[in-house]
Amino acid sequence: MAQAEQTLHEVLEAFDFGAPVVGAIRYGCGHINDTFVVHTQPENACCRRFILQRMSAAAFKHPDQLMENIIGVTEFLGREIEKHSGDRSREAMEVIRPKNGADYYTDSQGGAWRLYPFVEGTVCHQTADTPELFAASGRAFGRFQQLLADYPADTLYETIPHFHDTEDRLAKFKAAVAADKLGRAAGCQPEIDFVLAREKDCSVALDALRAGKLPLRVTHNDTKLNNVLMDDKTGEGICIIDLDTVMPGLVLYDFGDSIRFGANHSAEDETDLSKVNLDVDLFSAYTAAFLEGTGGSLSNTEIEYLPWGAKLMTLECGMRFLTDYLEGDTYFHISREGQNLDRCRTQFKLVADMEERWSELEAIVNRYRK
Ligand code: ADP
Ligand code: GN1
Ligand code: MG
């Protein structure tokens, strides 16, 4: 698809911002959508900001279904937050419809765009610099999961089929290696072997689901630290964003994806692997806070499987980066050549660390068994 900037002007005309638009620039560090912050200047008032996004056509084949999910989930969350005397405008996202009244705007090139108010007074972090910060994100994601506990799961579309189906991700990875479209496989044989040595692991969570040991819940499925906005004064997690992948899933996916991204002190695409290390103290802080956020609702078996969530989400994500590298970087946005291979390498380094410190991770989660 063409650069989002090509239709930006047309898209800005399609929404009513309630005041003149004075600028729209790229924003954030997401890997999937094209995100812009729009500045408007109301008369006699401060600048009001909005988040305008073109949804990724590579990731989402049915923007209509995606937006139906998001509108359903944000309205439900809004009601739950009000019931708990929260501030709906800060704690839940809100979709602003285009002038034509549809759920989103389709531009002349087929791009699908949506608009949200910018949640002010918040910060979005790319790394968890302190255990307190990471814990705050854990409480927010745990609470999010609790708030959605009664959401009618059967009304949710599967926006990305088999999103955390690690067996399916493995099959797609193997197909990409076999096709080797760009002749890149020879340059990443150690990484390919790393995955193949862990084929059996890819079935651990799914086996437990099939055996009825783990329940399906409504989960976020993309719980990176930069998908929660933190209050800029109190440091508490205020608003969970990036709701594209809210679907039925296992709670260990949400726990695990946060650990994957946040329980270390390096960037996801760090090239110096000596800097990429699992921080067990951060793991511990997140575990306590996440379980607090879920209000003690997880079963002992779910708690037992949390370390598997961390390992599987990290292995799966590494596999996805590697698959995309082999296929020519068509899914995850890149800003330099080889970035997806670098991202894959950091994930596999973290998986190796988790394996090495497995008994420590198990001991931490076992403290919370009832
Ligand atoms: P992606 O799927 O590409 O990650 P996100 O929906 O996570 O897209 O948005 C990318 C970034 O934009 C976020 O990490 C955050 O910094 C910022 N952002 C998104 N929505 C809002 C919002 N409503 N208010 C403030 N910042 C936001
Ligand atoms: C993507 O959308 P974003 O940047 O928050 C991806 C996640 C990956 C993550 C890796 C819809 O998250 O699944 O874990 O990149 N989102 C989608 O950083 O594929
Ligand atoms: Mg995001």
Side-chain angles (χ1 to χ4, degrees):
M1 180 155 280
Q3 280 285 97
E5 278 78 358
Q6 283 186 16
T7 53
L8 187 56
H9 187 72
E10 167 196 344
V11 175
L12 289 170
E13 289 295 320
F15 289 90
D16 178 5
F17 293 91
V21 170
V22 292
I25 46 173
R26 284 209 177 245
Y27 189 77
C29 300
H31 294 338
I32 302 297
N33 298 304
D34 290 288
T35 303
F36 296 83
V37 60
V38 180
H39 292 242
T40 68
Q41 183 59 70
E43 222 178 301
N44 307 323
C46 286
C47 157
R48 227 178 124 209
R49 298 193 287 176
F50 298 82
I51 288 285
L52 179 65
Q53 278 183 327
R54 184 178 73 171
M55 295 167 252
S56 163
F60 306 110
K61 305 299 173 208
H62 302 285
D64 48 337
Q65 298 182 355
L66 171 63
M67 289 310 292
E68 209 177 305
N69 276 8
I70 293 196
I71 290 171
V73 168
T74 51
E75 288 181 351
F76 183 92
L77 282 172
R79 286 192 295 275
E80 287 299 308
I81 284 161
E82 276 168 1
K83 263 194 240 164
H84 293 85
S85 312
D87 179 350
R88 198 239 177 276
S89 68
R90 292 194 82 217
E91 296 172 34
M93 305 272 283
E94 193 186 337
V95 174
I96 303 174
R97 289 186 159 84
K99 289 175 190 164
N100 67 14
D103 290 349
Y104 61 96
Y105 178 71
T106 306
D107 70 25
S108 52
Q109 299 191 6
W113 296 75
R114 64 180 167 212
L115 184 70
Y116 299 114
F118 191 102
V119 183
E120 299 290 352
T122 58
V123 196
C124 178
H125 295 274
Q126 304 304 325
T127 53
D129 295 326
T130 65
E132 292 75 24
L133 169 73
F134 198 37
S137 76
R139 258 190 307 280
F141 279 122
R143 177 163 183 263
F144 178 85
Q145 142 91 176
Q146 264 317 91
L147 288 174
L148 288 179
D150 294 327
Y151 192 84
D154 55 347
T155 63
L156 283 171
Y157 291 103
E158 212 181 340
T159 53
I160 301 181
H162 303 288
F163 190 59
H164 283 315
D165 176 338
T166 314
E167 291 172 348
D168 187 66
R169 294 289 186 185
L170 174 68
K172 287 179 176 142
F173 162 75
K174 285 183 178 173
V177 176
D180 194 17
K181 229 162 59 182
L182 300 173
R184 289 178 168 180
C188 44
Q189 200 55 49
E191 288 75 21
I192 293 172
D193 293 341
F194 188 93
V195 175
L196 298 180
R198 288 161 182 78
E199 273 200 50
K200 283 206 185 82
D201 290 347
C202 296
S203 297
V204 168
L206 292 168
D207 280 344
L209 173 67
R210 287 186 285 254
K213 288 162 75 178
L214 295 172
L216 273 183
R217 297 175 182 269
V218 174
T219 47
H220 182 282
N221 296 307
D222 187 3
T223 52
K224 297 205 285 202
L225 183 64
N226 63 16
N227 285 332
V228 52
L229 303 177
M230 326 289 289
D231 187 286
D232 63 4
K233 297 201 177 60
T234 64
E236 270 309 306
I238 290 291
C239 185
I240 302 294
I241 59 169
D242 205 344
L243 306 177
D244 295 328
T245 51
V246 174
M247 289 183 277
L250 299 177
V251 75
L252 60 87
Y253 299 157
D254 280 3
F255 174 85
D257 197 50
S258 287
I259 298 297
R260 170 191 83 70
F261 187 79
N264 63 78
H265 299 277
S266 52
E268 199 175 48
D269 62 348
E270 173 61 60
T271 51
D272 178 355
L273 290 182
S274 73
K275 293 186 183 154
V276 182
N277 301 298
L278 175 74
D279 182 329
V280 175
D281 292 333
L282 285 179
F283 178 95
S284 179
Y286 191 92
T287 303
F290 183 78
L291 293 176
E292 184 191 327
T294 60
S297 61
L298 304 196
S299 70
N300 277 342
T301 313
E302 287 180 296
I303 294 174
E304 242 170 66
Y305 272 82
L306 292 178
W308 272 108
K311 176 167 162 182
L312 284 173
M313 289 301 94
T314 314
L315 177 63
E316 180 189 282
C317 197
M319 213 155 65
R320 291 173 63 197
F321 286 141
L322 189 50
T323 303
D324 200 32
Y325 174 72
L326 292 169
E327 289 180 339
D329 309 300
T330 56
Y331 186 89
F332 295 104
H333 292 176
I334 55 164
S335 54
R336 59 178 162 79
E337 208 39 39
Q339 194 174 15
N340 274 320
L341 179 57
D342 292 336
R343 289 173 176 152
C344 153
R345 289 180 171 145
T346 63
Q347 303 307 291
F348 291 169
K349 168 65 172 57
L350 291 169
V351 170
D353 281 6
M354 289 174 195
E355 290 172 344
E356 209 166 290
R357 307 191 64 177
W358 195 250
S359 56
E360 288 174 69
L361 306 187
E362 283 187 326
I364 290 166
V365 303
N366 281 336
R367 281 186 219 144
Y368 299 93
R369 284 168 53 94
K370 289 167 263 193

